[in-house]
Amino acid sequence: MKRVNRQVRLVSRPVGLPRESDFELVERPLKSPSNDECLIRGEYLSVDPYMRGRLRDRKSYAPPVQIGDVMVGGVAGRVVTSQHPDFSEGEAVVGNLGWQEYAVANGSQLTKIPTNTRLSTAVGILGMPGITAYFGLLDICSPQPGETVVVSGAAGAVGSVVGQIAKIKGCRSIGIAGTDQKVQHVVEDLGFDAAFNYNTTDSYSRSIRKLCPDGVDCYFDNVGGAITDSIIPLLNTGGRVSVCGQISQYNLEQTEMGPRFLWHLITKQAKIQGFLVFAYADRYQEALSNMTKWIAEGKLHYRETVSRGIENAPRAFIEMLKGGNIGKQIVKLTE
Amino acid sequence: MKRVNRQVRLVSRPVGLPRESDFELVERPLKSPSNDECLIRGEYLSVDPYMRGRLRDRKSYAPPVQIGDVMVGGVAGRVVTSQHPDFSEGEAVVGNLGWQEYAVANGSQLTKIPTNTRLSTAVGILGMPGITAYFGLLDICSPQPGETVVVSGAAGAVGSVVGQIAKIKGCRSIGIAGTDQKVQHVVEDLGFDAAFNYNTTDSYSRSIRKLCPDGVDCYFDNVGGAITDSIIPLLNTGGRVSVCGQISQYNLEQTEMGPRFLWHLITKQAKIQGFLVFAYADRYQEALSNMTKWIAEGKLHYRETVSRGIENAPRAFIEMLKGGNIGKQIVKLTE
């Protein structure tokens, strides 16, 4: 076993879109686990949009990553050595272990990955993104059979799951994505009813009206900005908007201005609700149990975009923020 | 009895703030009621912010007032002659009878006003505005004891009730209003914990932070615009915003731009919900019963700003849109 741990640390706060030079790769000696701790070798590192928010030095639901810190991130891996009674060598686990090849973590910070499950899915469809999709759609929007559900960021780790769960629940699923390839993927591979490429349409509003002739009952928002502006006026009475992400805004240094739309909420008796998946922690098992069943039944599909090597994590993160991924963006840490 | 009915009709669609010349006063012969109809003599006419929206020629929850139509509006009055078995001469009723001194209406369009109730309250605290405050606060915000509730338009017909109900429910009530007199009224007469004059503060945000040291749990929004912008970032985790009105926007001819704030909803796990009081039609009695009790117990107070004469209804409406009223703006139709 290598005695060296490679880590990615933050060296400067990004201005706008992060650059690779905002991060550095360092080598550190491996630590040994103390009582109740395990040493984990990471196999799959998750890079996610929320991480951009954690790079900002402002108060939020979680403290920001400090300069010099190892970047935060979920990792699926295997126990190398265990000083915790519940974990044994070779067991597959997932936890917030950060951008590094090895991590020492207390057993209470680790979740076991069931043996019949692909490790990578523990940071994807059966991890935070999938669970986010599940509760963000079902709990916030309560989609009803026959309703129209619109998803922005439809080809991403969360959006791709939202549109499929909407179909499972008997809704029409309409996706919005940034390339023709993504549009084709969500319709042909994932079974969305329709989708359009926001980068090539000449009117978001016209595209949505065309694909949603009965208006929009539920909108699952991963992106915010002008796409969201165009959907709010098309909400039906009693419409529900689940605000999961605002990726169009994360790299802006100044608050962007947009049209005021709250009066639409009055006339449509509509609601817009934001959420964090952690609020559902005591119900994660419900989500995982249902999604595992749907995957087994062939009703729920996923794709992964895989980068290789911890040294490429910053680039994978930046590319994901630019929309380079289809499905879940992960970084494979092992050969 | 006079054989003439004076009515206010719309003669041109207002651009920006309505002008008196957008309306005309006409005299028409009195109609007689047919089967199941009553002739009503109006005593109190309601002028309300929502009427500005009804002057716009666009699709909404209700059709717009057409040029030449009698203006829409709630009226409390008494039955002059009845051809309906459930109503008799002299009975007090309320209904959407329009801006006119007399109206012929089907009995199904009329609601009886209990005999122990002041007629004017049927278009105010025990009418649409009061019921709007009741459900808009209690159902949308579910305020909990000890929470901080902020109300914009605090001295108006709706806001003044919201802040008092919040107090009854054990919350801190913070009001925002446009004159020092209104601020004094809501604190000294209505028992809000604090209030400030948005026209004389140099920072909405600083004023709110100062009066809400524990953040904002519930925000009841009657005004929208920059005041609302300043409150959204101060929402606590799980904050709730009830969007009742957006009076700052009603006279704008172009959609105003404002800072995008949806990301706050994510990090605060907050919701913004719009509503129309009609959604609660089958529960109006619950609101009236509770509010009548609170008034009798001295826990709920109201004030009226009274104009006189149907010919002054347009001016009363315009002054109300400019914030000239304290409490419920009504027009007394009879001497």
Side-chain angles (χ1 to χ4, degrees):
Chain A
M1 194 181 92
K2 287 195 299 180
R3 302 308 304 168
V4 163
N5 184 20
R6 296 198 301 163
Q7 304 177 321
V8 173
R9 293 165 179 253
L10 183 67
V11 294
S12 54
R13 294 217 174 276
V15 177
L17 186 69
R19 295 167 304 172
E20 291 190 53
S21 59
D22 293 323
F23 304 93
E24 66 171 354
L25 183 71
V26 299
E27 298 196 346
R28 289 290 178 270
L30 267 196
K31 288 193 201 161
S32 296
S34 307
N35 267 354
D36 287 335
E37 289 183 337
C38 299
L39 174 67
I40 317 295
R41 183 179 189 190
E43 297 198 10
Y44 296 99
L45 164 65
S46 185
V47 293
D48 301 284
Y50 78 82
M51 294 172 180
R52 180 63 184 86
R54 303 292 292 279
L55 297 180
R56 265 180 219 281
D57 192 14
R58 68 177 170 205
K59 203 179 153 204
S60 188
Y61 61 94
V65 178
Q66 298 299 326
I67 303 294
D69 280 359
V70 176
M71 261 297 281
V72 290
V75 172
R78 288 186 190 274
V79 174
V80 179
T81 53
S82 172
Q83 301 283 350
H84 191 288
D86 294 349
F87 295 90
S88 52
E89 199 179 315
E91 270 196 307
V93 294
V94 61
N96 288 309
L97 305 179
W99 292 19
Q100 53 187 345
E101 292 179 320
Y102 290 89
V104 169
N106 190 290
S108 64
Q109 299 167 268
L110 300 170
T111 302
K112 296 190 189 205
I113 301 173
T115 46
N116 57 349
T117 303
R118 279 188 55 179
L119 237 61
S120 63
T121 62
V123 292
I125 193 158
L126 295 176
M128 184 273 288
I131 296 172
T132 297
Y134 183 94
F135 290 111
L137 177 67
L138 296 180
D139 261 59
I140 309 266
C141 288
S142 299
Q144 301 301 307
E147 288 192 328
T148 297
V149 175
V150 174
V151 192
S152 58
V158 175
S160 60
V161 180
V162 169
Q164 294 182 83
I165 296 179
K167 287 301 298 176
I168 289 168
K169 295 296 179 183
C171 301
R172 270 195 95 225
S173 279
I174 307 298
I176 308 174
T179 69
D180 288 345
Q181 193 191 1
K182 290 179 179 181
V183 165
Q184 190 178 358
H185 169 62
V186 303
V187 173
E188 295 183 7
D189 303 332
L190 305 184
F192 284 48
D193 293 281
F196 71 94
N197 178 347
Y198 70 83
N199 278 312
T200 56
T201 181
D202 57 357
S203 162
Y204 302 151
S205 181
R206 199 151 45 228
S207 292
I208 294 156
R209 282 201 308 269
K210 191 176 150 198
L211 300 182
C212 305
D214 299 326
V216 176
D217 300 296
C218 305
Y219 170 44
F220 192 101
D221 187 12
N222 287 303
V223 306
I227 288 175
T228 297
D229 297 338
S230 69
I231 292 171
I232 301 284
L234 303 176
L235 287 175
N236 289 330
T237 296
R240 292 136 272 154
V241 177
S242 178
V243 190
C244 175
Q246 296 279 284
I247 201 168
S248 71
Q249 309 295 299
Y250 293 163
N251 291 310
L252 304 177
E253 285 310 296
Q254 294 221 313
T255 301
E256 191 175 80
M257 303 291 273
R260 297 193 187 283
F261 51 63
L262 292 186
W263 66 267
H264 284 286
L265 301 191
I266 303 174
T267 59
K268 305 298 179 60
Q269 304 178 62
K271 79 164 179 177
I272 303 184
Q273 187 163 356
F275 71 100
L276 294 171
V277 69
F278 318 115
Y280 297 96
D282 59 353
R283 292 174 56 199
Y284 284 177
Q285 203 47 55
E286 168 197 332
L288 292 174
S289 154
N290 278 316
M291 288 198 291
T292 302
K293 181 166 73 71
W294 292 333
I295 291 171
E297 293 170 350
K299 292 177 181 167
L300 186 56
H301 305 267
Y302 61 96
R303 190 180 287 190
E304 295 167 345
T305 298
V306 184
S307 298
R308 280 162 209 282
I310 187 71
E311 66 277 15
N312 291 313
R315 188 180 305 162
F317 174 55
I318 294 162
E319 286 304 310
M320 180 276 302
L321 287 175
K322 289 160 68 179
N325 57 304
I326 292 191
K328 174 62 192 165
Q329 175 72 54
I330 49 179
V331 181
K332 191 166 190 305
L333 299 177
T334 50
E335 288 312 303
Chain B
M1 193 181 90
K2 288 195 299 179
R3 302 307 304 167
V4 164
N5 185 19
R6 296 197 301 162
Q7 304 177 320
V8 174
R9 293 167 180 249
L10 182 68
V11 293
S12 54
R13 293 217 174 275
V15 176
L17 185 71
R19 295 167 304 173
E20 291 191 53
S21 59
D22 293 324
F23 303 93
E24 66 171 354
L25 184 71
V26 299
E27 297 196 345
R28 289 290 178 270
L30 267 195
K31 287 193 202 163
S32 296
S34 306
N35 268 354
D36 288 334
E37 289 183 337
C38 299
L39 174 68
I40 318 295
R41 184 180 188 189
E43 298 198 9
Y44 296 98
L45 164 65
S46 185
V47 292
D48 301 285
Y50 79 83
M51 295 171 179
R52 181 63 184 87
R54 304 291 292 279
L55 298 178
R56 265 179 219 282
D57 192 14
R58 70 177 168 202
K59 204 181 153 202
S60 188
Y61 62 93
V65 178
Q66 298 299 326
I67 304 294
D69 280 0
V70 176
M71 261 298 280
V72 291
V75 172
R78 287 184 189 277
V79 175
V80 179
T81 54
S82 173
Q83 300 285 348
H84 191 288
D86 294 349
F87 294 90
S88 52
E89 197 178 318
E91 269 196 306
V93 293
V94 61
N96 288 309
L97 305 178
W99 291 18
Q100 53 187 344
E101 292 179 321
Y102 291 89
V104 170
N106 190 290
S108 64
Q109 300 166 267
L110 299 171
T111 302
K112 295 190 188 205
I113 300 174
T115 46
N116 57 349
T117 304
R118 280 189 54 180
L119 237 60
S120 63
T121 61
V123 292
I125 194 159
L126 295 175
M128 185 272 290
I131 296 172
T132 296
Y134 183 94
F135 290 112
L137 177 66
L138 296 180
D139 262 57
I140 310 267
C141 288
S142 298
Q144 301 301 308
E147 287 193 328
T148 298
V149 175
V150 174
V151 191
S152 58
V158 176
S160 60
V161 180
V162 169
Q164 293 182 84
I165 296 179
K167 287 300 298 174
I168 290 168
K169 295 296 178 183
C171 302
R172 271 195 95 224
S173 279
I174 306 298
I176 307 174
T179 68
D180 289 345
Q181 193 190 2
K182 290 178 180 181
V183 165
Q184 189 179 359
H185 169 62
V186 303
V187 174
E188 295 184 6
D189 303 332
L190 305 183
F192 284 47
D193 293 281
F196 70 95
N197 178 348
Y198 71 84
N199 277 315
T200 54
T201 180
D202 57 358
S203 163
Y204 302 151
S205 181
R206 198 152 44 229
S207 292
I208 295 156
R209 281 201 308 268
K210 190 176 152 200
L211 300 182
C212 305
D214 298 326
V216 177
D217 299 296
C218 305
Y219 170 45
F220 191 101
D221 187 12
N222 287 304
V223 306
I227 288 174
T228 296
D229 298 338
S230 69
I231 293 171
I232 301 283
L234 303 176
L235 287 175
N236 289 330
T237 296
R240 293 134 270 154
V241 177
S242 179
V243 190
C244 175
Q246 296 279 285
I247 201 168
S248 71
Q249 309 294 301
Y250 293 163
N251 291 312
L252 304 177
E253 285 310 296
Q254 295 221 312
T255 301
E256 191 175 78
M257 302 292 273
R260 297 193 185 284
F261 52 61
L262 291 187
W263 67 268
H264 285 286
L265 301 191
I266 303 173
T267 59
K268 305 297 179 60
Q269 305 179 60
K271 79 164 180 178
I272 303 184
Q273 186 161 355
F275 71 100
L276 294 171
V277 69
F278 318 114
Y280 298 95
D282 59 353
R283 292 174 56 198
Y284 284 177
Q285 203 47 55
E286 169 197 332
L288 293 175
S289 155
N290 278 316
M291 288 198 291
T292 302
K293 181 167 72 71
W294 293 332
I295 292 171
E297 294 170 351
K299 294 177 181 166
L300 185 57
H301 304 268
Y302 62 94
R303 189 179 287 190
E304 294 167 345
T305 298
V306 185
S307 298
R308 282 162 207 282
I310 186 71
E311 66 277 13
N312 290 314
R315 187 179 307 162
F317 174 56
I318 295 162
E319 287 304 310
M320 181 275 303
L321 287 175
K322 290 160 66 179
N325 56 304
I326 291 191
K328 173 63 192 165
Q329 175 71 54
I330 50 179
V331 181
K332 191 165 192 303
L333 299 177
T334 49
E335 289 311 304

